[in-house]
Coordinates of all heavy atoms in Angstrom, one line a residue:
S53 N 39.9 32.1 69.0 CA 38.9 32.7 69.9 C 37.6 32.1 69.7 O 37.3 31.6 68.6 CB 38.8 34.2 69.7 OG 37.7 34.7 70.4
G83 N 40.5 38.7 84.6 CA 39.2 39.4 84.3 C 38.0 38.4 84.4 O 37.0 38.6 83.7
Q91 N 31.8 54.3 94.1 CA 31.9 55.0 95.4 C 32.5 56.4 95.1 O 33.5 56.5 94.5 CB 32.7 54.2 96.4 CG 32.8 54.8 97.8 CD 33.6 53.9 98.7 OE1 34.5 53.2 98.3 NE2 33.2 54.0 100.0
T101 N 40.7 41.4 90.7 CA 40.5 41.5 89.2 C 40.7 42.9 88.7 O 40.6 43.8 89.4 CB 39.1 41.0 88.8 OG1 38.1 41.9 89.2 CG2 38.7 39.6 89.4
R125 N 14.8 59.5 68.0 CA 14.7 59.7 66.5 C 15.5 61.0 66.1 O 15.0 61.8 65.4 CB 13.2 59.8 66.1 CG 12.5 58.5 66.4 CD 11.1 58.6 65.9 NE 10.3 57.3 66.2 CZ 9.1 57.1 65.9 NH1 8.4 58.0 65.3 NH2 8.5 55.9 66.2
F135 N 33.0 46.3 66.7 CA 33.5 45.8 67.9 C 34.4 44.6 67.7 O 34.0 43.6 67.0 CB 32.4 45.5 68.9 CG 31.5 46.7 69.2 CD1 30.3 46.8 68.6 CD2 31.9 47.6 70.1 CE1 29.5 47.9 68.8 CE2 31.2 48.7 70.4 CZ 29.9 48.9 69.8
F162 N 37.4 54.4 70.6 CA 37.3 54.8 72.0 C 38.0 53.7 72.9 O 37.5 52.7 73.3 CB 35.8 54.8 72.5 CG 35.0 55.9 71.9 CD1 34.4 55.8 70.6 CD2 34.9 57.1 72.5 CE1 33.7 56.8 70.1 CE2 34.2 58.2 72.0 CZ 33.6 58.1 70.7
E221 N 60.9 58.9 70.8 CA 60.0 58.2 69.9 C 60.1 56.7 70.0 O 59.2 56.0 69.5 CB 60.2 58.6 68.5 CG 60.0 60.1 68.2 CD 60.2 60.4 66.7 OE1 61.4 60.2 66.3 OE2 59.3 60.9 66.0
E257 N 63.0 50.2 62.6 CA 63.7 49.2 61.9 C 65.2 49.1 62.4 O 65.7 48.0 62.5 CB 63.6 49.5 60.4 CG 62.2 49.3 59.8 CD 62.1 49.7 58.4 OE1 63.1 50.2 57.8 OE2 61.0 49.6 57.8
H262 N 69.4 46.4 65.3 CA 70.4 46.4 66.4 C 70.3 45.3 67.4 O 71.3 44.6 67.7 CB 70.3 47.8 67.1 CG 70.9 47.8 68.5 ND1 72.3 47.7 68.7 CD2 70.4 47.8 69.7 CE1 72.5 47.7 70.0 NE2 71.4 47.8 70.6
T314 N 45.3 67.1 71.6 CA 45.9 66.0 70.8 C 47.1 65.6 71.5 O 47.8 66.3 72.2 CB 46.2 66.6 69.4 OG1 47.0 67.7 69.5 CG2 44.9 66.9 68.6
S321 N 47.1 50.1 69.0 CA 45.7 49.8 69.2 C 45.1 49.4 67.9 O 45.8 49.3 66.9 CB 44.9 51.0 69.8 OG 44.8 52.0 68.7

Side-chain angles (χ1 to χ4, degrees):
S53 166
Q91 184 177 29
T101 70
R125 299 183 180 180
F135 299 99
F162 290 86
E221 298 179 301
E257 293 172 0
H262 157 72
T314 57
S321 71

